[in-house]
Amino acid sequence: MVSEQVDVAIIGGGPAGQLAATTAASAGQRTVLIELEPHVGGECVRRGTIPSKTLRETALAVSAFRAKSGGVVEVSLGTDVQLESLMRRKTEVIDAHHAFIADELRVCGVEVWHGRARFVSPRRLEVLSVTGQRRALEAKVVLIATGSRPRTPPEVPIDHEHVLDSDSILSMAWLPKSLTVLGSGVIASEYASVFAALGVAVTMIDRAARPVGFLDDDLTAAFLAAFTATGSRFVSGRKPVEVGWNGVDAVETRLDDGEVVRSEKLLCALGRVANVEGLGLEAAGLSTTARGLIAVDANLRTAVEHVYAVGDVIGPPSLASTSMEQGRRAVRHWLGLPVGPGPELIPAGVYTIPEMSSVGLTEAQARQQHGEVVVGRARFDRLARGQISAAPDGLLKLVCDGAGRTLVGVHVVGEGAAELVHLGQLAMSAKLPIDTFVDDIFNFPTLAEAYRVAALDIVRQRARSGRASAA
Amino acid sequence: MYPPTFTRGLSALPERVERAFSAKVERLELELPVLPEASATILSETSKADWSAARVVEALKRDASLAAHLLRIANSPAFCGASPVASIQQAVTRLGASHLRQLAVVIACETRAFEARGFEAEVRAVFRHSLAVGLCAREIARQRRANVEAAFLAGLLHDLGWPVVVQGLAQVAAGEALARDAVLERAEALHAGLGGAVARAWKLPEAIAMAIVNHHQAEPPDDLTATVAFADVLALHGGGAQVTQEALSALPATRALNLYPDVVEGLAKQSPALWAEASQW
């Protein structure tokens, strides 16, 4: 079989692969993107981010209407709600996103091959189409961006009927009354809070002490308060030892302390595994780590010089934003172009209800790195916009160095958190002093005013500490 | 038998029957099979999050035929546990909400919906094929990490319009003899749309109704439809029909579901066992 010669071959068309492909093609490289599925976009578009956020919009509308109508209008869903009916716009959203991605790739000159790729030698890939045809290419550099799929632990018998994973949860025919969620990472917390907002009694179980452990404590505390206020429950510090459909009416989850949690359905969200099977890594001279991941260095390069790996296939945090940055960074590194600021300024957005977002260091990390830190907080109930929007439980937290002048972390929970964080991200990227938020005027009434309130909190602390030193 | 074979060019319907039947189809005035009360109760009761086994047992007690079928299926190899089920209460307990919901529809189809006087053998064959399609669709969904319940129901009901057409023509003909091929040909042509109408009348999820309506579309518009379309042919393969693996791989539904040759091969190998399971229900 004759191989086509290309500059860059990218296996996998999720967020990491797309950014890698457009970066390479825009730099004049002949770039081929090989995607297993008919459309580029990855699990993120088909079964992850896009469909779950479409359901979340409905849940958000229900809970927001409940809050904003001040209890004047009673909002509740019936007992036999079809899940699909809560995601009416899903197909349109997915189609629009697929079209957008395809357009971007076309404009940049990326060639998309639909098929399953495997290494036959360190630079040669064979691609099997869904109809069984084979073609081959030889690339100067190969990026592996094949993503991940839900992990199925041996003690959790996933049948996609009663016991589901994050791929099958959204294809449930009817909205359940109760749901057990195993895990408390991003995916577990997002689904737990969305179903709780829709009126489902959710029990989230995890070994961790708090959900989404990589986020700042203040954020997860606010999230937990909102989650439990719906009547749902977070069971921390415990793990399931046995899960099974009781054959009657419930999935029963026996925990390590003997408690049995019963629910109509169960979602297993205990991590993800990298999609590396069938890639023929050994032919490329690669192997996986004990956790089944592909090991890379700081520049996303694997043990083989011309092979990079990006996105979920190298492990956490498995966020679309991080994966995109990794794809871009890997290609620029290969091309010898400046890679820009480090990954520490990539924001993390967690679409729970309320949503959480973060960039930079958490307060705990900042204390570890800087010793003293100054923290400013703005609760949304102090803002006119927070009161109007009936979103008083939101919080914006700014973390500064010990001098109280340089911003090292921004953390937001509440309405618009994933949008609000970008202002702080840009301030950190531009190294703006914290006083900028006090001196500049934002629109009124907006939630962005939280930056001014939190910055003022820092300035006041700085002044008090200055008086104390002077005294 | 299913799928029916036609001798093209013969079997025109009498003009009066053709005109009257077309009008009924256009105005959706054909008599749709009614979901038996007990099945409807089970379907609506088990769709509620706080469903009560007692209310389901009550409904079953009022429909001896349904209860008998349920006991038979609860004792079939597909569901039978360590010990056989002896009572309705035990069957309800063992099967659980999701299986009860599926079986209520299966039994309704078997005993009431798939009836057509004069075409008993054909309709029975359609039902067996439908059950096999439901089981195949369930396996395809499992393979693709999608929820299996909707796939099973959509597969089971995909040919539900078939007996509706046969019965409808018989009614319109009012005793006048109709060419057999002409009836089967119209059933084949119209069953998808009418099956969707029945699913809607039975208040099944719209996604299932759409999959039934579209399962013969050249390009399946969504995953559930593609699952049914692929399962439709896979079941034929499982039943021993001349459908090669190459033919399975070449289906538009195979592409829509993005099933690679090794996955198709695996499902093809599984299909005879699924066909056999359908025969045991």
Side-chain angles (χ1 to χ4, degrees):
Chain A
M1 196 188 320
V2 181
S3 294
E4 289 193 41
Q5 303 296 314
V6 306
D7 295 316
V8 182
I10 297 159
I11 312 173
Q18 286 162 48
L19 251 285
T22 51
T23 305
S26 301
Q29 304 290 302
R30 185 186 170 192
T31 306
V32 169
L33 176 63
I34 306 152
E35 170 57 43
L36 185 75
E37 296 291 336
H39 298 285
V40 174
E43 291 294 286
C44 163
V45 179
R46 286 192 324 121
R47 300 202 264 205
T49 308
I50 303 286
S52 69
K53 271 51 171 184
T54 310
L55 177 65
R56 180 182 179 271
E57 276 306 301
T58 305
L60 210 51
V62 170
S63 58
F65 195 73
R66 207 177 275 143
K68 290 178 190 191
S69 69
V72 174
V73 183
E74 183 55 43
V75 186
S76 63
L77 298 173
T79 54
D80 52 356
V81 176
Q82 292 171 19
L83 195 60
E84 189 71 22
S85 68
L86 302 175
M87 297 186 287
R88 285 255 187 265
R89 292 169 46 249
K90 184 182 79 174
T91 308
E92 287 86 341
V93 175
I94 291 175
D95 288 350
H97 200 67
H98 276 146
F100 168 74
I101 296 168
D103 226 38
E104 283 276 292
L105 295 172
R106 188 182 47 77
V107 167
C108 291
V110 175
E111 295 170 46
V112 179
W113 291 13
H114 174 203
R116 190 194 273 167
R118 71 179 179 95
F119 285 96
V120 288
S121 76
R123 289 188 192 274
R124 191 159 187 262
L125 295 174
E126 191 179 273
V127 182
L128 172 73
S129 82
V130 74
T131 47
Q133 278 93 38
R134 292 175 196 278
R135 63 200 291 199
L137 61 76
E138 205 152 303
K140 290 176 186 159
V141 60
V142 180
L143 261 87
I144 303 170
T146 44
S148 64
R149 64 182 182 280
R151 187 171 79 89
T152 51
E155 70 276 17
V156 185
I158 293 171
D159 59 9
H160 303 293
E161 186 167 5
H162 310 293
V163 182
L164 305 127
D165 64 20
S166 55
D167 279 354
S168 54
I169 185 82
L170 290 183
S171 56
M172 279 190 300
W174 284 272
L175 189 69
K177 186 181 184 190
S178 53
L179 175 74
T180 299
V181 177
L182 299 183
S184 71
V186 173
I187 294 170
S189 299
E190 287 185 352
Y191 277 119
S193 66
V194 165
F195 280 104
L198 289 169
V200 177
V202 179
T203 307
M204 183 161 50
I205 302 166
D206 199 37
R207 278 186 292 188
R210 60 193 180 89
V212 205
F214 67 87
L215 289 180
D216 192 277
D217 287 2
D218 280 5
L219 266 54
T220 51
F223 163 66
L224 262 184
F227 177 64
T228 51
T230 63
S232 291
R233 184 175 164 226
F234 177 54
V235 180
S236 64
R238 277 181 275 170
K239 65 170 188 176
V241 289
E242 195 180 355
V243 174
W245 169 246
N246 69 2
V248 186
D249 58 353
V251 179
E252 295 184 348
T253 307
R254 193 160 60 80
L255 304 181
D256 51 0
D257 65 352
E259 181 184 349
V260 176
V261 177
R262 292 160 50 87
S263 58
E264 189 186 340
K265 303 277 180 188
L266 180 139
L267 164 64
C268 178
L270 291 168
R272 299 182 67 84
V273 289
N275 291 327
V276 292
E277 298 81 5
L279 275 176
L281 290 179
E282 58 292 343
L286 285 169
S287 57
T288 54
T289 66
R291 293 180 57 211
L293 303 170
I294 298 178
V296 292
D297 64 15
N299 295 309
L300 294 317
R301 195 193 291 244
T302 66
V304 177
E305 198 190 1
H306 69 277
V307 180
Y308 288 70
V310 292
D312 287 13
V313 84
I314 64 169
S318 304
L319 292 170
S321 56
T322 315
S323 299
M324 286 187 224
E325 166 58 15
Q326 288 169 350
R328 189 195 66 84
R329 180 171 285 263
V331 170
R332 289 187 70 87
H333 180 263
W334 169 257
L335 295 173
L337 299 169
V339 292
E344 61 273 7
L345 284 187
I346 303 170
V350 180
Y351 293 88
T352 41
I353 299 176
E355 71 190 40
M356 301 185 277
S357 195
S358 178
V359 65
L361 303 177
T362 64
E363 184 180 344
Q365 289 166 339
R367 286 194 191 284
Q368 250 180 354
Q369 280 191 26
H370 296 273
E372 279 296 295
V373 296
V374 186
V375 174
R377 290 181 176 80
R379 291 188 57 82
F380 287 6
D381 60 2
R382 301 281 308 279
L383 311 171
R385 182 75 215 184
Q387 291 293 348
I388 294 165
S389 304
D393 299 331
L395 171 79
L396 181 135
K397 176 175 174 179
L398 301 180
V399 182
C400 277
D401 63 351
R405 294 194 184 278
T406 306
L407 194 55
V408 297
V410 179
H411 311 281
V412 197
V413 58
E415 185 176 315
E419 299 284 354
L420 278 172
V421 80
H422 297 137
L423 201 52
Q425 179 194 8
L426 283 179
M428 287 169 71
S429 182
K431 298 187 175 17
L432 297 177
I434 194 74
D435 301 69
T436 310
F437 291 117
V438 179
D439 299 336
D440 288 355
I441 301 297
F442 291 161
N443 275 328
F444 176 85
T446 59
L447 292 175
E449 275 194 296
Y451 276 97
R452 188 179 55 80
V453 174
L456 267 174
D457 189 15
I458 288 172
V459 169
R460 283 193 204 104
Q461 291 177 60
R462 206 171 61 198
R464 275 201 298 274
S465 125
R467 279 199 299 274
S469 321
Chain B
M1 284 298 137
Y2 191 85
T5 51
F6 307 118
T7 318
R8 303 279 171 196
L10 303 173
S11 355
L13 288 169
E15 200 183 327
R16 176 192 69 80
V17 175
E18 182 84 87
R19 203 177 302 130
F21 182 70
S22 298
K24 273 184 177 285
V25 170
E26 263 172 42
R27 294 200 293 265
L28 256 184
E29 282 177 358
L30 286 177
E31 196 176 309
L32 301 180
V34 179
L35 195 60
E37 190 193 340
S39 292
T41 305
I42 293 171
L43 208 59
S44 90
E45 181 59 35
T46 52
S47 297
K48 294 175 186 165
D50 55 348
W51 76 281
S52 143
R55 283 198 290 270
V56 171
V57 171
E58 271 310 302
L60 283 165
K61 279 181 182 164
R62 288 197 296 272
D63 191 329
S65 156
L66 182 61
H69 274 83
L70 196 75
L71 278 173
R72 182 173 60 77
I73 292 171
N75 279 315
S76 72
F79 292 99
C80 192
S83 56
V85 167
S87 69
I88 299 173
Q89 174 75 48
Q90 221 181 340
V92 169
T93 302
R94 178 170 291 174
L95 293 168
S98 170
H99 286 144
L100 273 172
R101 206 154 48 215
Q102 293 172 26
L103 291 183
V105 178
V106 172
I107 296 165
C109 289
E110 190 179 11
T111 59
R112 317 283 164 85
F114 282 84
E115 275 182 338
R117 188 169 298 177
F119 288 84
E120 286 82 2
E122 285 88 348
V123 167
R124 179 70 206 164
V126 170
F127 175 68
R128 175 179 291 188
H129 167 77
S130 296
L131 202 44
V133 172
L135 295 173
C136 287
R138 187 153 78 180
E139 281 318 303
I140 296 162
R142 221 186 286 282
Q143 181 88 34
R144 303 183 70 248
R145 294 204 304 277
N147 187 259
V148 300
E149 190 179 352
F152 174 76
L153 287 176
L156 171 70
L157 299 174
H158 79 290
D159 278 347
L160 191 58
W162 220 85
V164 176
V165 177
V166 177
Q167 282 176 323
L169 272 170
Q171 276 175 3
V172 170
E176 188 174 347
L178 301 178
R180 209 167 182 80
D181 274 2
V183 174
L184 297 177
E185 196 177 274
R186 277 151 190 83
E188 190 56 17
L190 298 169
H191 72 277
L194 290 168
V198 179
R200 287 183 183 118
W202 287 9
K203 295 190 170 57
L204 290 167
E206 181 58 20
I208 293 177
M210 289 306 294
I212 295 170
V213 170
N214 293 320
H215 76 271
H216 283 309
Q217 289 278 319
E219 294 297 330
D222 56 71
D223 271 13
L224 189 58
T225 306
T227 300
V228 173
F230 183 72
D232 200 5
V233 187
L234 185 66
L236 294 175
H237 177 83
Q242 290 299 310
V243 182
T244 62
Q245 202 184 303
E246 289 69 35
L248 280 171
S249 288
L251 291 171
T254 314
R255 282 199 306 278
L257 293 170
N258 207 44
L259 300 175
Y260 282 78
D262 55 332
V263 179
V264 174
E265 188 183 350
L267 287 165
K269 277 186 184 154
Q270 234 182 320
S271 61
L274 296 168
W275 176 264
E277 190 184 334
S279 312
Q280 289 173 349
W281 275 40

